[in-house]
Amino acid sequence: MDESRGKFAVETRQLEKRFGSFTAVDHLNLKIEYGQSYGLLGPNGSGKTTTIKMLCDLLKPTGGEAYLLGEQVGHTDIPPRIGYMPQEMALYLELSIHDNVRLFGEIYGLNREQIDQEERKLLQFVDLEKWRNTPVANLSGGMKHRASLVCSMIHQPELLFLDEPTVGVDPELRASFWEFFDELGSKGVTVVITTHYMDEAHRCNKIGLMRPGRLIAEGAPQKIIEDTATHSLEDAFLSLARRGGHDAD
């Protein structure tokens, strides 16, 4: 990976998103290093998904700037280099898993051989080989989620955004997901993930705790626990929220 194009895989400067009088993201500053697994934690409505959508150029910010892989968001070089798995299911229901994967692969410019090679590996990883030719409409919610993960990774992105990727996934498969995410990090892939699971947050190199629109704390999970003199991330978050948190730079 050529890191000379930017010091950080993800950087935001005073990023802001307003919907009328409501501020969903309020002057957010992030610096995420290459190869890092970074977790955004916070309750529903804290701005996590809005942040991810702005970084993926699906929502235009009201103010501030964002950079991915050394380029400002919106640059044409970015989309082929990133992957995005949204919370909401973004697959074609009438198509099979295989046809969805092939479609996404072709959109990213892969040839048939490249798609087949990656598809075999990823379907085996998420335990969907038996349902390869099943229409997505016939899958359970958890299986649809797994198929969506495959489509987001078919082109081997350098930077992967995962919005609640393990919702509806059983604990055993959830653990295997994180083993795979760790493996991606060892290969230099940057993973940005939103989650409600505190045990998953502990798997991240660095986390950012969000409370309506703002980053109230940031750092290694254990460091945040120590700095708040608490015994868990949940207690740390509650402690920060009660005292208003602090703006993380």
Side-chain angles (χ1 to χ4, degrees):
M1 180 185 300
D2 181 8
E3 298 180 16
S4 63
R5 299 182 68 184
K7 185 177 180 181
F8 298 101
V10 178
E11 182 176 5
T12 69
R13 303 171 187 169
Q14 300 295 307
L15 192 65
E16 184 181 38
K17 181 62 179 178
R18 295 191 304 272
F19 297 96
S21 61
F22 174 69
T23 300
V25 176
D26 190 3
H27 297 88
L28 182 66
N29 294 307
L30 292 175
K31 291 180 179 178
I32 301 175
E33 298 176 3
Y34 286 89
Q36 194 171 59
S37 58
Y38 187 100
L40 277 176
L41 277 78
N44 291 334
S46 61
K48 305 185 303 298
T49 294
T50 300
T51 297
I52 296 295
K53 287 185 174 181
M54 284 193 288
L55 293 174
C56 292
D57 203 26
L58 298 174
L59 279 177
K60 297 298 181 185
T62 308
E65 300 174 323
Y67 297 84
L68 303 182
L69 306 170
E71 302 284 3
Q72 189 163 11
V73 169
H75 196 287
T76 55
D77 284 353
I78 293 176
R81 303 172 64 195
I82 69 172
Y84 170 53
M85 178 184 170
Q87 274 191 43
E88 62 274 11
M89 209 271 297
L91 304 178
Y92 292 93
L93 296 177
E94 70 277 11
L95 298 181
S96 67
I97 294 176
H98 167 68
D99 288 337
N100 270 280
V101 171
R102 185 170 61 184
L103 176 60
F104 277 86
E106 289 174 351
I107 289 172
Y108 283 113
L110 304 183
N111 60 41
R112 189 63 57 85
E113 183 179 353
Q114 291 171 319
I115 294 170
D116 289 345
Q117 181 177 347
E118 283 302 305
E119 180 188 20
R120 281 193 297 271
K121 180 176 68 175
L122 290 170
L123 288 183
Q124 182 177 18
F125 159 64
V126 299
D127 194 25
L128 285 179
E129 306 133 287
K130 291 183 291 187
W131 293 275
R132 178 177 181 267
N133 295 311
T134 302
V136 170
N138 296 343
L139 302 176
S140 69
M143 293 167 73
K144 290 174 182 174
H145 225 53
R146 285 182 269 161
S148 183
L149 178 61
V150 171
C151 289
S152 73
M153 297 182 61
I154 190 64
H155 60 303
Q156 297 182 303
E158 301 170 43
L159 171 59
L160 185 60
F161 292 100
L162 304 170
D163 198 1
E164 301 281 359
T166 58
V167 170
V169 173
D170 67 73
E172 184 177 358
L173 188 57
R174 190 155 63 92
S176 71
F177 271 26
W178 274 94
E179 290 175 6
F180 188 62
F181 298 155
D182 290 342
E183 181 183 340
L184 290 176
S186 70
K187 294 177 180 178
V189 178
T190 308
V191 179
V192 181
I193 185 169
T194 71
T195 181
H196 289 296
Y197 296 113
M198 293 299 171
D199 61 321
E200 291 188 348
H202 275 285
R203 299 289 295 265
C204 296
N205 303 130
K206 190 175 182 180
I207 60 173
L209 300 179
M210 292 189 73
R211 188 170 183 266
R214 300 184 71 86
L215 199 64
I216 62 172
E218 185 181 49
Q222 190 57 40
K223 182 70 163 52
I224 290 177
I225 292 172
E226 292 171 0
D227 287 348
T228 54
T230 55
H231 300 287
S232 68
L233 278 177
E234 185 174 7
D235 289 342
F237 183 85
L238 291 173
S239 174
L240 288 162
R242 289 189 187 109
R243 65 189 193 216
H246 65 274
D247 291 335
D249 297 322

